[in-house]
Structure formats: C-alpha cells, structure tokens
Amino acid sequence: TSAISAMYNIAGPCSNMLSVPVVIGLLGPDEAMGAARAGKILNLPVVSDRFALRGVYYLRDEAGFIDNPLLGLKGINDEHTQGGRLSARLKLGDATVLTASGLHQQTKSNGRSGYDPLAGDLKFPSYVKIPWTDKIKAFNVTLEHDRGFGSIRATSSYFDRDIDYSSDAAII
C-alpha cells in the first residue's frame, strides 16, 4: 500500500529556530511486518523574519506478504518509497509573502498487493514477475498580498506522475 505524502508545514520566515529531527528504525504496529522507516526534517531560517527554508527527506521499506506460488517467490508486494519535500517562504513586505514548494517521490514494488482467493490465502499466481514503479513530481508557487479589507492570492502548480507496471496476460 502506498500514499502520497502531504506537506503539512511550510517554511515560516518568523521562525528563529534551526531544527534537524531525525527518525530512523522500526515504527509502530508494522514492526511485525518488517517495516523500516527513516526521515529527516530541516527548518532553516535564512534571514530572520524574512526568508526561511524547510526540507524533508523520508524513506520507507515495507516487507511483502503476498506469495507467487507459480514462480516460488515470497513477499512479492514488498515496497520501497523515498522522497523529499522542500518549501521556501519569502516575506516581500509587511503585507506580501511568496511561497514555493516542491515534492519528489519514487515508489518501487516487485509485485501487486492483491491476491487470488482461489490460489490460497495471500497468494497471487503469475507466470511472470510484475514490478511496479511510481514517480511523482509536484511544484507550487503562491503569492499572497493582504489589502487589509481582504487578500489577493495568485497560485500556480505543476504535477507530473509516471507509473510503470507490467501485467500478466496469461491468466486472462
């Protein structure tokens, strides 16, 4: 299973703190499934109260639990995801802020997570390997200006997703 990671926090020019939290290791109930996750966050106030950067890097390795009895493969739906996010915020004046953000993520798996109940519990029979790769790139720029009685916002975004997968047509 995979999900697009969302950017919940953006760089803030009013932040006067440099922080670099790092999380590495097995987390939560997935430990029994052989999940490993790592992440790094960097908050960097470049110019106090004017310009800041926030960077995030993450890595997730999930063990598979679906087997392919035809090829004798176990855990074919393992998953490796890594990516990063970067945001920058520049305060152009008392009422104007420019924010830019970007996301890059890549996920690879050696097989699908679905199974065929006729083949047995958590089994997916296939005569070929069925790898899957998902690459995501997303970028956004927003300019905000507060007029006192209301605000003006201009925004532009770009999203590119490339999914590459194989399928076994022999079972059709």
Side-chain angles (χ1 to χ4, degrees), residues 18-90:
L18 172 64
S19 62
V20 187
V22 177
V23 178
I24 298 175
L26 298 173
L27 303 174
D30 292 332
E31 290 179 27
M33 299 298 291
R37 297 184 179 132
K40 296 180 183 179
I41 301 169
L42 173 65
N43 292 310
L44 182 62
V46 180
V47 178
S48 183
D49 294 330
R50 301 285 293 164
F51 180 62
L53 294 171
R54 177 179 174 88
V56 177
Y57 169 78
Y58 51 91
L59 174 68
R60 187 177 104 177
D61 282 311
E62 302 283 343
F65 53 88
I66 303 293
D67 299 336
N68 181 340
L70 295 178
L71 296 179
L73 300 173
K74 300 212 177 279
I76 62 169
N77 64 319
D78 61 332
E79 182 182 299
H80 175 80
T81 300
Q82 77 175 32
R85 302 183 303 264
L86 181 64
S87 69
R89 180 169 271 190
L90 175 62

Side-chain angles (χ1 to χ4, degrees), residues 1-168:
T1 304
S2 178
I4 298 173
S5 296
M7 185 178 307
Y8 296 106
N9 295 316
I10 57 174
C14 297
S15 173
N16 292 320
M17 182 177 72
L18 172 64
S19 62
V20 187
V22 177
V23 178
I24 298 175
L26 298 173
L27 303 174
D30 292 332
E31 290 179 27
M33 299 298 291
R37 297 184 179 132
K40 296 180 183 179
I41 301 169
L42 173 65
N43 292 310
L44 182 62
V46 180
V47 178
S48 183
D49 294 330
R50 301 285 293 164
F51 180 62
L53 294 171
R54 177 179 174 88
V56 177
Y57 169 78
Y58 51 91
L59 174 68
R60 187 177 104 177
D61 282 311
E62 302 283 343
F65 53 88
I66 303 293
D67 299 336
N68 181 340
L70 295 178
L71 296 179
L73 300 173
K74 300 212 177 279
I76 62 169
N77 64 319
D78 61 332
E79 182 182 299
H80 175 80
T81 300
Q82 77 175 32
R85 302 183 303 264
L86 181 64
S87 69
R89 180 169 271 190
L90 175 62
K91 193 172 181 184
L92 298 171
D94 289 340
T96 308
V97 176
L98 178 67
T99 305
S101 61
L103 162 75
H104 185 270
Q105 177 175 296
Q106 181 169 320
T107 302
K108 293 180 181 181
S109 178
N110 288 312
R112 58 180 287 166
S113 291
Y115 71 96
D116 182 352
L118 298 176
D121 192 31
L122 301 178
K123 299 198 182 322
F124 182 77
S126 176
Y127 291 104
V128 296
K129 292 182 179 179
I130 306 175
W132 176 71
T133 303
D134 186 3
K135 297 177 185 175
I136 298 171
K137 289 184 257 181
F139 305 96
N140 175 267
V141 177
T142 302
L143 180 65
E144 299 175 71
H145 182 72
D146 186 355
R147 299 283 297 159
F149 60 87
S151 60
I152 300 168
R153 179 179 295 163
T155 186
S156 180
S157 296
Y158 171 81
F159 181 82
D160 182 39
R161 187 173 190 182
D162 184 24
I163 300 174
D164 184 26
Y165 66 94
S166 299
S167 184
D168 183 3

